């Protein structure tokens, strides 16, 4: 009897999966897949890439040989690892964005203060005031662009977290 035919969830390639195989790689796209049977329905699920597989000794392999393999638990643990990574990345990029927004506010304040001093201040401070206003006007778009870049990175990390959330 030939093994059942299943579709790869990534590339939709037809794969023959023998019943004793629990984790495999797709021949077409090299995606790591887990064979899951739940509620009378069987299929292949994409395993999120977590990184390198830790080294296992022959004694560890023998100990695992007597345990039943649960592909659903493996899939859930991999998703949890990726979800935690994505949430940490989101928090980091959000913190950098807040710092950049503080820099935007401070550059804006320096430019406004320089303009105010230029138009209403004493004549001996006009050169410094003009320099502060010009520096604020030229620096503000650059700092704002950098802040928006970090906000985009934060949103991208959040989308990555939503992708792997159950």
């Amino acid at each position: 009897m030939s093994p059942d035919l299943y579709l790869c969830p990534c590339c939709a390639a037809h794969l023959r999966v023998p019943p004793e195989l629990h984790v495999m790689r797709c021949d077409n796209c090299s995606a790591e897949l887990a064979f899951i049977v739940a509620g009378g329905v069987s299929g292949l699920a994409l395993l999120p890439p977590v990184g390198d597989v830790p080294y296992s000794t022959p004694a560890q392999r023998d100990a695992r040989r007597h345990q039943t393999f649960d592909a659903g638990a493996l899939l859930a643990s991999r998703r949890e690892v990726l979800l935690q990574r994505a949430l940490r990345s989101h928090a980091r990029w959000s913190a950098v964005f807040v710092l950049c927004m503080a820099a935007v506010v401070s550059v804006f304040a320096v430019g406004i203060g320089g303009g105010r001093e230029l138009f209403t201040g004493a004549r001996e401070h006009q050169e410094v005031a003009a320099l502060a206003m010009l520096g604020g006007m030229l620096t503000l778009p650059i700092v704002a662009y950098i802040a928006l870049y970090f906000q985009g990175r934060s949103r991208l990390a959040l989308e990555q977290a939503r992708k792997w959330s159950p």
Side-chain angles (χ1 to χ4, degrees), residues 96-117:
V96 173
F97 169 69
V98 168
L99 289 175
C100 282
M101 286 308 293
V104 165
V105 169
S106 65
V107 165
F108 183 73
V110 166
I112 293 295
R116 182 172 174 246
E117 183 67 27

Side-chain angles (χ1 to χ4, degrees), residues 38-106:
V41 178
S42 60
L44 293 174
L46 174 66
L47 284 175
V50 179
D52 296 334
V53 177
Y55 175 75
S56 62
T57 64
Q60 289 171 333
R61 283 193 296 270
D62 289 339
R64 278 185 294 194
R65 192 171 289 150
H66 301 294
Q67 297 173 352
T68 58
F69 182 78
D70 186 11
L74 177 64
L75 181 63
S77 68
R78 290 249 183 123
R79 280 185 177 161
E80 184 63 29
V81 167
L82 280 180
L83 183 63
Q84 293 303 320
R85 274 189 200 167
L87 290 176
R88 279 194 305 268
S89 178
H90 170 67
R92 183 179 63 240
W93 290 119
S94 294
V96 173
F97 169 69
V98 168
L99 289 175
C100 282
M101 286 308 293
V104 165
V105 169
S106 65

Side-chain angles (χ1 to χ4, degrees), residues 139-161:
T139 308
L140 187 64
I142 295 169
V143 175
Y145 175 76
I146 292 171
L148 289 176
Y149 169 77
F150 288 128
Q151 182 191 26
R153 293 296 298 222
S154 173
R155 285 186 177 184
L156 186 65
L158 190 61
E159 285 299 318
Q160 184 73 17

Side-chain angles (χ1 to χ4, degrees), residues 4-6 34-45:
D4 291 332
L5 195 61
Y6 292 95
F35 182 70
I36 296 179
V37 178
V41 178
S42 60
L44 293 174

